[in-house]
């Protein structure tokens, strides 16, 4: 699908971007792989590892629409991964989060339509479902923009979709490297914000594979949600430290006890497939009548039950302590 094609990823120097580029280079022969990000040092460091002839590095911010338009010339596929993601930082700097996560999302949409790219997938988060923090609220707004963009682009314009998943194991700024650093520094009790906290859990490799599959599946307007396990925070503490002893530090600004990826309020718009869910658009597109029960890969879905909710605390699949230990070992 990606061989002899041009692919651009915003925020491409992040954890997802590096894994995504590694995945594509190992399996396809792209014409161009474009890293679009604002940090020249991270780009320089990334070039020491990823220097294939097809690689291109663009300095630019998603807040800059004209720069995005220039970067997207002759691009076939776009992954929008750039975002301000730290929940407490967003609470204290709300306007900056809005400029990147909402205004930047609209800039990506406008640039993609202007450049006539083929397909765009935006990365979302479980925090966008029933948001209680500003980061989640901005990503919900971003999700809505990308869904509605299928109306703006017209019948022959780009198709837009969203991928929503939970915490990525080992990604920059996540709890696993944070705990690991504390343990390496000799910390005897890991800090826990609340004993009952649960989270959805996905590896970088799984996240990348899910995004790639959805480029083939998408018709435009979908929010794709993978079926993934949950974890209990105290199980993670035991898996990493060998003890369930912890220091209770209290819930951070904007933090939830549990996360939701398919809210109950969206059950009537949601379909279940073998390994994922799809939240279909709540709006009707003017130029098409899409049957989302059969995707472009030929997979069939069915309507979820009334009052269905995909919730990290009631998820039927929780990782055990030994499974978490194995994942921790594999992500070092």
């Amino acid at each position: 699908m990606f061989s002899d094609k041009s692919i651009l990823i915003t925020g491409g120097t992040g954890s997802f971007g590096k894994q995504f580029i590694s995945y594509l280079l190992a399996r396809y022969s792209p014409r161009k792989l474009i890293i679009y990000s604002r940090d020249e040092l991270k780009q320089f460091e990334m070039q020491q590892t990823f220097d294939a002839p097809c690689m291109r590095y663009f300095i630019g911010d998603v807040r800059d629409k004209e720069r995005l338009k220039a970067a997207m010339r002759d691009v076939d596929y776009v992954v929008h991964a750039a975002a301000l993601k730290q929940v407490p930082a967003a609470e204290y700097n709300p306007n900056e989060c809005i400029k990147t996560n909402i205004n930047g999302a609209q800039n990506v949409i406008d640039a993609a339509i202007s450049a006539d790219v083929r397909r765009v997938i935006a990365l979302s988060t479980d925090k966008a479902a029933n948001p209680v923090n500003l980061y989640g609220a901005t990503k919900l707004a971003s999700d809505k923009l990308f869904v509605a963009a299928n109306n703006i682009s017209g019948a022959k314009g780009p198709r837009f979709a969203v991928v929503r998943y939970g915490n990525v194991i080992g990604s920059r700024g996540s709890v696993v490297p944070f705990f690991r650093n504390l343990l390496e520094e000799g910390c005897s009790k890991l800090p826990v914000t609340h004993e009952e906290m649960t989270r959805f859990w996905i590896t970088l490799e799984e996240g990348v594979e899910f995004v790639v599959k959805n480029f083939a599946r998408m018709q435009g307007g979908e929010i794709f949600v993978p079926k993934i396990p949950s974890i209990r925070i105290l199980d993670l503490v035991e898996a990493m430290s060998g003890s369930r002893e912890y220091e209770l530090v209290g819930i951070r600004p904007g933090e939830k006890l549990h996360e939701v990826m398919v809210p109950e309020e969206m059950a009537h718009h949601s379909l279940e497939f073998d390994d994922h869910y799809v939240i279909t658009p709540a709006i009707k597109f003017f130029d098409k009548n899409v049957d989302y029960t059969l995707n472009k890969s030929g997979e069939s879905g069915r309507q979820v039950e009334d009052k269905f909710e995909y919730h990290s605390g009631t998820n039927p699949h929780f990782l055990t302590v030994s499974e978490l230990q194995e994942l921790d070992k594999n992500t070092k």
Side-chain angles (χ1 to χ4, degrees), residues 74-274:
D74 299 320
V75 165
D76 298 292
Y77 302 108
V78 173
V79 177
H80 177 46
L84 295 183
K85 301 172 183 176
Q86 293 297 311
V87 170
E91 296 298 304
Y92 285 106
N93 304 275
N95 199 41
E96 295 305 304
C97 191
I98 289 167
K99 288 176 184 176
T100 295
N101 295 359
I102 298 178
N103 298 346
Q106 186 62 55
N107 288 340
V108 169
I109 291 166
D110 292 343
I113 293 173
S114 178
D116 198 27
V117 307
R118 296 175 62 181
R119 297 179 188 178
V120 180
I121 285 183
L123 302 190
S124 185
T125 168
D126 47 13
K127 294 169 180 61
N130 296 340
V132 300
N133 52 59
L134 186 84
Y135 168 55
T138 60
K139 293 303 285 184
L140 175 60
S142 172
D143 293 354
K144 296 288 188 181
L145 287 171
F146 278 99
V147 170
N150 291 278
N151 256 343
I152 302 167
S153 66
K156 296 182 180 180
R159 299 275 68 86
F160 298 86
V162 174
V163 165
R164 174 185 292 172
Y165 50 65
N167 286 40
V168 178
I169 305 167
S171 63
R172 192 177 62 216
S174 67
V175 68
V176 168
F178 174 63
F179 277 180
R180 192 178 291 149
N181 289 339
L182 289 176
L183 291 169
E184 289 173 354
E185 292 169 1
C187 177
S188 59
K189 291 184 180 181
L190 291 174
V192 169
T193 57
H194 196 285
E195 306 96 324
E196 297 178 12
M197 186 169 288
T198 65
R199 287 293 183 266
F200 288 107
W201 215 239
I202 189 171
T203 67
L204 267 174
E205 293 85 351
E206 290 168 338
V208 166
E209 289 176 1
F210 190 60
V211 168
V212 169
K213 286 181 180 179
N214 292 324
F215 269 112
R217 289 168 169 158
M218 64 181 284
Q219 301 183 75
E222 305 97 328
I223 298 177
F224 292 98
V225 177
K227 292 181 179 179
I228 54 177
S230 292
I231 65 136
R232 298 178 179 90
I233 190 63
L234 292 188
D235 288 344
L236 181 64
V237 168
E238 181 178 351
M240 296 191 68
S241 70
S243 167
R244 293 184 80 85
E245 292 189 25
Y246 61 91
E247 179 186 1
L248 192 65
V249 296
I251 292 179
R252 300 178 302 168
E255 194 169 41
K256 284 184 178 181
L257 273 184
H258 310 285
E259 296 288 0
V260 172
M261 286 205 285
V262 180
E264 180 182 324
E265 294 80 7
M266 294 303 292
H268 60 294
H269 284 290
S270 300
L271 303 171
E272 181 177 7
F273 291 77
D274 287 344

Side-chain angles (χ1 to χ4, degrees), residues 3-66:
S3 291
D4 199 34
K5 298 293 189 295
S6 294
I7 305 102
L8 179 145
I9 177 166
T10 69
T13 57
S15 302
F16 178 92
K18 292 175 182 176
Q19 186 65 39
F20 180 71
I21 295 301
S22 178
Y23 184 95
L24 292 190
L25 289 175
R27 291 164 178 80
Y28 300 94
S29 300
R31 185 169 68 253
K32 283 193 294 186
L33 280 176
I34 303 167
I35 302 298
Y36 184 94
S37 68
R38 62 185 183 178
D39 192 319
E40 61 177 345
L41 176 59
K42 289 176 185 174
Q43 287 199 7
F44 172 77
E45 292 170 345
M46 190 170 176
Q47 287 179 60
Q48 311 315 302
T49 303
F50 299 102
D51 61 350
C54 65
M55 296 296 299
R56 304 288 188 274
Y57 290 87
F58 270 67
I59 298 292
D61 197 311
V62 293
R63 298 183 186 187
D64 186 343
K65 185 189 299 185
E66 295 307 311

